[in-house]
Amino acid sequence: MSEKAIKSALISVFYKDQLAPVIAKLRELDVTIYSTGGTQKFIEDLGFPVLSVEKLTGYPSILGGRVKTLHPKVFGGILGRRDQSKDLDQLESYEIPPIDLVIVDLYPFEETVASGAEEQDIIEKVDIGGISLIRAAAKNFKDVLTISSREQYQSLIDLLDSGKGATTLDERKFFAAQAFDISSHYDIQIFNYFNRDSGSPRLKISERTHRKLRYGENPHQEGFFFGDLENMFDQLHGKELSYNNLVDVEAAVALIAEFNEEPTFAILKHTNACGIASAENIALAYEKAFESDTVSAFGGILISNGEITEAAANSMKDLFFEVLIAPAYSSSALEILKEKKNRILLIQKSNLKERTQVKSLLNGYILQERDLKTDTKKDFQQVCSRQASDEELNALVFASKVAKHTKSNTIVLARDQQLLASGVGQTSRVDALKQAIEKARRFGFDLKGAVMASDAFFPFPDCVEIASKAGITAVVQPGGSIRDQASVDYCNSQNMSMVFTGVRHFKH
């Protein structure tokens, strides 16, 4: 029959909180309870009867608690098939009582690793008996209900109430799926811990925390986010983050992480910076970033590396933007910014911690290390007769950081720690440069004395020639072309300076 009455239960859990109401409900239904160790004592302290697994098996808990439930009298009672007479005969012959409900959670392995504990403490949190019990009960879902997390306790109580102590096949199968979700996630965390040292090229990802998004990249696409955003952000105001918001937020967080010395503000659109500047304070940095492109800023993602002050909030309050991210907000700034009900305000609590990026591709996945290389003055190789000035070097570092986080092919033009314009995602580097020059002029910037950054080398001298004619005086690029010297020679002929970094920053 699909419906099964629960007459017996095995309970052995690490976390005892929220368990008492479950025990009370089982006793109300006259369910026989088997238990071990600390869980058994917990039930006894509640004043309820409980049978010891040790008495059932005839064996005590041994090896410091490593072996408690690994016994045929336990697993036979869980795995015995109630619709097969041979199984029932064997259960009776070996005096194995059937077990209808298994309530077991797992040692906190993931939490112990995250705490920075010593390896021996971590190893002791590799659960053996618990995960075996969960898998056994889930496998035999036709007869056994599996509760594998304290998060399911209330659902269990509701189930017992509505079914008067009985469960249906569909209900048991649902909880079996939840059990295998928990056990598979647990095994992946263990593998990934052990693989830190061996470094086997394996891709094993499991993330149980998730949120359903309004839709994906477009309204006709379904979308989810898997992960715990609350570890990185506190949302203070506004509507739910969308799929596109999240993609842009990651780009913004990665970009602003490059700037940790001066107050810096950036405005992004479709993952590219349309404005970014460093200045004496955040309000001024915002104003300079906004000046870079007053059109694209509409509907953008804003991010700051410093507290949003009242002055900064007043400067941006009339701009329509999707998201603002900052490490802090003054109370007066919040009051101003909350005037628009859908405006998303986030406090960033941590930087990106993942050192790898994964993407589904064709019939598989590609994985790479994040581009964690930031070009500094120490990386610059001066290759022209005229050495770049200190002012130019500072601007080149700034421009190089922005280029690293801009879609290829890209050219970035900057001066005085301000983005003047960029050419983004062009199929030709020449087109990217022409786009940047035209855009800078459209927004009223004089490029005389500006600098240029390229995410990759120049195969021909055409880009430096175009840049020179526009007034640009210094260039940063990776170098590495067989025609590098042609670009160097042209720069020398125009008294320009150029530095090589030796590092390409493609971004697709």
Side-chain angles (χ1 to χ4, degrees):
M1 292 177 61
S2 169
E3 193 170 89
K4 298 278 186 179
I6 295 175
K7 299 177 180 178
S8 60
L10 171 65
I11 307 176
S12 180
V13 296
F14 183 87
Y15 296 106
K16 313 298 189 298
D17 52 306
Q18 305 175 50
L19 183 61
V22 175
I23 304 299
K25 176 56 65 176
L26 292 175
R27 287 309 304 146
E28 179 186 317
L29 295 168
D30 200 28
V31 174
T32 299
I33 299 176
Y34 298 91
S35 191
T36 64
T39 307
Q40 179 184 339
K41 183 178 184 306
F42 177 84
I43 297 171
E44 290 170 342
D45 289 346
L46 290 174
F48 294 121
V50 57
L51 299 177
S52 167
V53 168
E54 292 184 0
K55 289 183 179 179
L56 172 65
T57 63
Y59 278 87
S61 173
I62 61 174
L63 306 181
R66 282 189 165 195
V67 180
K68 290 181 284 192
T69 57
L70 295 168
H71 193 281
K73 281 206 169 183
V74 175
F75 281 87
I78 296 170
L79 288 165
R81 292 161 290 189
R82 279 44 158 197
D83 60 351
Q84 296 197 17
S85 59
K86 186 176 289 187
D87 282 16
L88 294 175
D89 289 344
Q90 287 183 329
L91 292 179
E92 184 178 2
S93 174
Y94 292 105
E95 298 181 337
I96 300 174
I99 295 173
D100 307 313
L101 169 64
V102 171
I103 303 177
V104 174
D105 62 10
L106 299 173
Y107 290 156
F109 177 84
E110 197 172 355
E111 294 85 346
T112 305
V113 172
S115 74
E118 296 293 328
E119 181 165 90
Q120 187 54 44
D121 294 329
I122 292 172
I123 298 305
E124 288 305 315
K125 291 300 184 290
V126 176
D127 207 315
I128 304 300
I131 201 165
S132 301
L133 291 167
I134 287 173
R135 289 176 60 85
K139 176 178 180 175
N140 200 25
F141 68 90
K142 287 186 177 181
D143 299 302
V144 181
L145 176 65
T146 316
I147 299 298
S148 48
S149 166
R150 56 184 166 172
E151 296 170 1
Q152 300 167 358
Y153 289 172
Q154 188 56 52
S155 297
L156 171 61
I157 292 172
D158 295 341
L159 205 63
L160 295 174
D161 279 337
S162 63
K164 297 180 180 179
T167 61
T168 66
L169 180 62
D170 286 344
E171 289 166 345
R172 295 191 297 275
K173 191 170 185 179
F174 170 81
F175 281 98
Q178 299 298 305
F180 283 121
D181 175 28
I182 287 172
S183 66
S184 62
H185 176 82
Y186 194 77
D187 281 336
I188 286 173
Q189 304 312 309
I190 294 170
F191 168 79
N192 286 337
Y193 171 77
F194 279 91
N195 198 44
R196 288 178 178 182
D197 295 328
S198 60
S200 299
R202 302 287 187 272
L203 177 60
K204 295 185 186 294
I205 300 173
S206 176
E207 182 55 68
R208 300 186 65 243
T209 305
H210 70 280
R211 62 169 70 184
K212 192 176 190 309
L213 305 175
R214 296 196 302 274
Y215 48 81
E217 200 163 8
N218 299 292
H220 63 278
Q221 296 170 266
E222 191 174 34
F224 292 86
F225 174 80
F226 288 88
D228 189 356
L229 279 177
E230 292 180 1
N231 279 340
M232 279 196 72
F233 304 104
D234 286 333
Q235 183 166 346
L236 305 180
H237 185 70
K239 60 185 178 180
E240 288 186 9
L241 287 158
S242 70
Y243 180 99
N244 291 330
N245 288 158
L246 290 168
V247 173
D248 285 331
V249 165
E250 196 215 29
V253 167
L255 173 62
I256 207 70
E258 302 281 356
F259 301 89
N260 50 26
E261 294 179 357
E262 296 180 89
T264 302
F265 200 100
I267 305 171
L268 288 85
K269 201 74 171 288
H270 298 292
T271 75
N272 298 297
C274 55
I276 181 170
S278 298
E280 292 80 12
N281 57 65
I282 292 299
L284 183 56
Y286 164 75
E287 290 170 5
K288 291 178 67 177
F290 180 68
E291 286 175 1
S292 299
D293 185 341
T294 57
V295 174
S296 297
F298 181 87
I301 305 294
L302 282 56
I303 190 165
S304 167
N305 69 354
E307 178 179 304
I308 302 299
T309 60
E310 181 178 354
N314 276 321
S315 294
M316 67 184 75
K317 68 178 182 179
D318 294 327
L319 173 68
F320 167 70
F321 58 84
E322 289 278 337
V323 183
L324 172 59
I325 310 160
Y329 298 78
S330 72
S331 57
S332 54
L334 275 179
E335 186 176 345
I336 293 166
L337 294 169
K338 284 182 177 181
E339 290 176 1
K340 299 290 177 68
K341 67 176 184 178
N342 288 329
R343 182 179 277 162
I344 299 170
L345 304 178
L346 301 177
I347 287 182
Q348 183 181 344
K349 299 187 290 187
S350 64
N351 287 324
L352 293 170
K353 295 179 181 178
E354 289 293 332
R355 299 181 67 84
T356 56
Q357 294 172 306
V358 181
K359 182 180 180 180
S360 61
L361 190 74
L362 300 174
N363 62 343
Y365 303 87
I366 51 174
L367 180 149
Q368 69 169 354
E369 295 178 340
R370 285 187 178 275
D371 184 356
L372 300 175
K373 171 62 179 173
T374 299
D375 300 326
T376 68
K377 293 179 187 179
K378 294 179 180 178
D379 301 308
F380 290 172
Q381 176 191 356
Q382 301 257 16
V383 295
C384 288
S385 300
R386 184 180 75 79
Q387 303 284 287
S389 67
D390 286 342
E391 183 179 346
E392 286 174 325
L393 288 173
N394 290 334
L396 290 170
V397 170
F398 179 91
S400 178
K401 289 177 178 179
V402 178
K404 171 185 168 181
H405 293 273
T406 306
K407 293 289 186 184
S408 300
N409 288 310
T410 185
I411 292 291
V412 169
L413 307 180
R415 182 178 53 231
D416 297 331
Q417 310 307 96
Q418 179 185 24
L419 172 66
L420 304 181
S422 57
V424 177
Q426 298 300 301
T427 54
S428 157
R429 199 159 300 282
V430 170
D431 286 344
L433 174 56
K434 289 179 177 179
Q435 181 190 57
I437 292 172
E438 186 278 328
K439 185 176 180 181
R441 288 171 175 166
R442 180 155 40 95
F443 286 101
F445 290 108
D446 182 356
L447 292 176
K448 186 176 181 180
V451 305
M452 173 174 76
S454 174
D455 59 335
F457 65 62
F458 300 120
F460 304 100
D462 44 7
C463 279
V464 291
E465 182 177 351
I466 295 168
S468 173
K469 291 177 180 178
I472 290 161
T473 58
V475 180
V476 57
Q477 59 135 322
S481 168
I482 59 174
R483 299 184 183 88
D484 275 346
Q485 192 58 46
S487 293
V488 172
D489 289 343
Y490 185 87
C491 287
N492 283 333
S493 71
Q494 302 301 311
N495 199 33
M496 296 173 67
S497 64
M498 183 159 61
V499 300
F500 289 171
T501 65
V503 178
R504 188 182 71 185
H505 293 291
F506 271 168
K507 187 167 185 272
H508 288 95

